[in-house]
Amino acid sequence: MPLTSTLFPAGPWPWQTRLAAEVRCRNQLIRIPTGFGKTLGVLHAWLRAHFEPEGHERWPTRLVWCLPMRVLAEQTSAEIRRVLADAGLADQVDVHLLMGGVEATDWALFPERRAVLVGTQDMLLSRALNRGYAAARARWPIEFGLLSQDCLWVMDEVQLMDVGLATSAQLQA
């Protein structure tokens, strides 16, 4: 069964179809109201690029989902795991939750594997700045490198990010 019909039994929104048809991975602002499938739309585009590669350039191996609050990170992680399981891709894409109070996984151990990293802005942005909040100092350069190369960052709920938004803009520049 094609990925699109698995993820969207009732059919995708037109913007989700356009996003998934993108051949090149590029910076985009997706301004969609809550509940209209931003998570699913972005995940769908990234999965299509990896598992239905007709005409797609190579998209980044890691999808990094940066969120301002723990509850959003937990919800997003659970939704991504559910979608991957429903699509039969759970064994082909690793999902790691990076936030305080959650048992750390060794997400950096297999950099060649497709992975979705979902985390709070304190954990992710500090690692992208080579400061690794709550990480052993020896891991800082490893995690910095893995979050600086071969990644597609999703900054979600930016209206709640405060100074994290400015930091993410500086990292992009």
Side-chain angles (χ1 to χ4, degrees), residues 76-86 90 94-97:
T76 301
S77 175
E79 177 70 3
I80 290 170
R81 289 176 198 277
R82 183 196 61 76
V83 166
L84 291 172
D86 289 352
D94 297 334
V95 180
H96 301 280
L97 182 58

Side-chain angles (χ1 to χ4, degrees), residues 70-161:
R70 296 175 54 85
V71 67
L72 295 174
E74 290 169 334
Q75 288 172 354
T76 301
S77 175
E79 177 70 3
I80 290 170
R81 289 176 198 277
R82 183 196 61 76
V83 166
L84 291 172
D86 289 352
L89 299 172
D91 60 337
Q92 297 179 55
V93 178
D94 297 334
V95 180
H96 301 280
L97 182 58
L98 286 87
M99 75 179 183
V102 173
E103 186 175 336
T105 59
D106 202 355
W107 63 271
L109 194 56
F110 299 103
E112 74 283 358
R113 282 190 49 87
R114 292 179 189 103
V116 180
L117 307 174
V118 181
T120 52
Q121 64 181 352
D122 57 342
M123 297 297 233
L124 291 171
L125 292 176
S126 67
R127 284 164 171 74
L129 293 169
N130 202 16
R131 291 296 175 257
Y133 179 64
R137 190 176 205 107
R139 294 186 60 94
W140 289 5
I142 297 165
E143 295 179 355
F144 165 76
L146 291 174
L147 289 170
S148 299
Q149 299 294 317
D150 201 18
C151 292
L152 172 59
W153 279 73
V154 176
M155 308 310 277
D156 202 353
E157 301 295 343
V158 295
Q159 74 277 9
L160 302 174
M161 289 183 111

Side-chain angles (χ1 to χ4, degrees), residues 18-26 28 45 49 53-60:
R18 285 190 305 273
L19 185 63
E22 292 283 335
V23 175
R24 291 185 51 235
C25 183
R26 61 187 179 87
Q28 293 190 44
E54 301 88 21
H56 284 80
E57 287 184 7
R58 188 178 177 286
W59 279 43

